[in-house]
Amino acid sequence: MSGLPPQTSIKRWLVTTNHKDVGILYIATALFFLVTGGVLALLFRAHLWEFGGTGLLTNTEYNQSVSIHGLLMVFWFISPLGFGFGNYIVPLQIGAKDMAFPRLNAMSYWFYLFSGLLLLLSFFQGTTWANGWYMYAPLNVPIYNPGYTLTMGGNATILALTLFVLSTTLSTVNFLTTIHRCRAEGLGLWNVPLVTWGILLTVWMMLFAFAALLAALILMLTDRLLLTQYFATDQGSSLLWGHLFWFFGHPEVYIVFFPALGIMFETFQTFCGRRIVGRKWVIIAMVLVAVQSFLVWMHHMFLTTINLPIKTLFMATTIGISLPFDLMVFALIYTMVKGRVRFTTPFLFTLGALVLFIIGGITGVFLGAVVLDYEFRGTYWVVAHFHYVMVSGVTALIGGLYYWWPKISGKMYDERLGKLSFAVYFIGFNLLYFPMFLAWETPRRVFHYPEGAELYHQLATVGAFVIGTGVLLVFITLAKSFVSGPDAPDNPWAYSRTAEWATTSPPPLENWPNRPSYASGRLEFVDDA
């Protein structure tokens, strides 16, 4: 690696295998897909400004925008942004000089990039995917929906998602090997930072969840290309897809959220000036959620013909998975109560993420009850709940971007501008999604809404543009910092105790000049020479 071209060289970014460079590439690419998915969201929210639609989009264009927005945000933005932080931070935190398999790490990034570009190119190959990011059968095969699915664009979307799954599988193997086998001497698993714990549990969940998604995608591709009948029959094909997809789909919520949860723990410790309350119980709770996430998938299928005793069982497992989360939420709150809080920009974003997650969790209890789910399923209540949970993770990830920005860039940002970006972002988010709870009778996935709900939808549209402004302010803050910000000290947050702050900002190519060791019970550097 020492023979790589200079960091300013384009060739450097094309051939690098260094984990920090790969992490930066993941973060930059994920943010690009955020902007792309965000523009699609602004388009269909503008379309919904008036009852009956503004005519900005045709019905087909609306369906395409909603579907590709969902796919981009769930697959190509949130998880890869967490992976970007994982690539950059995890080896530093555990005392490794790089990932276990650096070339495999770089290859996983390029598969991710090309899969995303293939998804965007699907817009130019006839009609792209327009049946929602969940791709429900039998509408996902041409025999039942030739207008949307019998196109090269639809096939390109499925192939892009398959390539993305391949990328994540390579990353999963790499992270598991790195965290379990490449930790510094004396660093036990119980003592690794909570960010690393979040990444570790994420990749364990991905190892099993994405296998189910890959199986579903392969079967769907054979239906589309070889005209098999896995999802085209009237004998339970929709249930088969539902089981395969949601066995992946519900763990995916926690796959997205766990890296953000680790960031929340890390920033709360730093800016409250004390270790997280009940740390070992928090780790146990995270492990319980990771296991339980595979036992609740059928609550997405309460409206199907599955018998009532089975639905009742999954209602119980759904309520049960909320209990470990209660413990983690109270640990964060109690840490804040017992500490001396510094309301910096990273802390504001992660505190905001906690507030949003609590609202998302409470509203999700309604959907976990079979009787209430009959009423709320397929409405804007689900849209609002889903975004309060998922975008709470995005909010924490933005907090992580501010938190590690001095380490990654070597520059400090304008704190006042950062706090302004949080205020605009947080107000915009709630203005966008809270009215959807009030307009819950609106059916989701439709390009027209019931008369009388105009006010709520107009508030949501205004909120969409406000949160877009907040994200733009984040970019402006970081760009201004990169161009003209003051140099960052090695540890600008003072209380930060994890190993990445023990090196320079930004870190050198080899991370540390000497080997890190925890053999004495604390971080030391051993000169092997």
Side-chain angles (χ1 to χ4, degrees), residues 86-397:
N87 267 284
Y88 199 101
I89 299 300
V90 165
L92 289 167
Q93 287 196 337
I94 66 174
K97 287 191 176 294
D98 208 320
M99 298 289 285
F101 308 113
R103 292 187 179 183
L104 195 69
N105 195 33
M107 186 165 67
S108 71
Y109 166 75
W110 292 109
F111 280 170
Y112 157 62
L113 174 62
F114 292 138
S115 69
L117 295 178
L118 180 58
L119 179 71
L120 298 182
L121 286 173
S122 68
F123 276 104
F124 304 98
Q125 299 173 334
T127 303
T128 188
W129 194 262
N131 293 319
W133 75 275
Y134 32 78
M135 304 176 178
Y136 281 154
L139 295 178
N140 57 13
V141 291
I143 189 172
Y144 282 100
N145 202 3
Y148 281 166
T149 56
L150 196 58
T151 63
M152 283 299 295
N155 290 339
T157 302
I158 307 306
L159 289 169
L161 193 52
T162 306
L163 188 58
F164 175 84
V165 174
L166 176 59
S167 166
T168 58
T169 302
L170 297 178
S171 290
T172 295
V173 171
N174 213 347
F175 274 106
L176 286 174
T177 308
T178 301
I179 296 173
H180 283 294
R181 305 298 299 173
C182 300
R183 299 193 305 273
E185 179 187 10
L187 181 60
L189 197 58
W190 276 107
N191 294 319
V192 300
L194 290 172
V195 168
T196 300
W197 261 109
I199 296 293
L200 176 62
L201 292 173
T202 295
V203 294
W204 270 116
M205 286 187 285
M206 292 177 78
L207 189 65
F208 297 98
F210 275 87
L213 177 62
L214 182 60
L217 291 172
I218 291 173
L219 293 180
M220 180 164 59
L221 277 173
T222 62
D223 274 5
R224 295 170 65 86
L225 302 177
L226 303 179
L227 303 183
T228 55
Q229 299 289 302
Y230 291 107
F231 300 122
T233 72
D234 59 357
Q235 300 175 3
S237 64
S238 60
L239 279 178
L240 173 61
W241 175 265
H243 284 299
L244 286 172
F245 183 83
W246 288 117
F247 188 78
F248 147 80
H250 200 81
E252 170 67 7
V253 175
Y254 306 113
I255 287 168
V256 165
F257 190 71
F258 265 41
L261 186 63
I263 291 170
M264 291 166 68
F265 288 130
E266 200 71 58
T267 53
F268 267 66
Q269 288 183 134
T270 297
F271 299 112
C272 293
R274 62 160 298 148
R275 192 175 183 178
I276 203 79
V277 172
R279 185 181 188 275
K280 287 193 175 182
W281 288 106
V282 164
I283 294 172
I284 292 170
M286 292 171 72
V287 173
L288 285 174
V289 169
V291 174
Q292 288 177 272
S293 69
F294 291 93
L295 305 176
V296 296
W297 81 90
M298 215 179 292
H299 70 214
H300 293 275
M301 304 168 67
F302 280 164
L303 267 63
T304 66
T305 57
I306 296 168
N307 64 59
L308 186 58
I310 297 297
K311 292 178 182 177
T312 305
L313 173 63
F314 276 84
M315 180 176 69
T317 60
T318 301
I319 294 170
I321 202 171
S322 68
L323 300 179
F325 271 118
D326 293 341
L327 188 151
M328 288 185 274
V329 167
F330 281 114
L332 287 167
I333 293 172
Y334 199 54
T335 301
M336 187 167 56
V337 170
K338 298 290 286 184
R340 299 183 64 181
V341 179
R342 292 179 289 157
F343 288 98
T344 61
T345 301
F347 182 78
L348 286 173
F349 270 98
T350 50
L351 178 61
L354 178 61
V355 172
L356 299 180
F357 181 74
I358 290 172
I359 296 173
I362 292 171
T363 55
V365 172
F366 290 81
L367 299 171
V370 175
V371 175
L372 292 175
D373 191 71
Y374 283 2
E375 190 70 21
F376 287 121
R377 179 66 59 186
T379 71
Y380 261 50
W381 185 281
V382 180
V383 178
H385 155 73
F386 178 77
H387 283 86
Y388 263 90
V389 173
M390 297 289 275
V391 186
S392 68
V394 176
T395 309
L397 289 169

Side-chain angles (χ1 to χ4, degrees), residues 58-74:
T58 66
N59 297 347
T60 298
E61 289 169 347
Y62 177 88
N63 286 333
Q64 291 178 81
S65 298
V66 172
S67 302
I68 300 301
H69 162 78
L71 287 168
L72 280 170
M73 293 304 198
V74 172

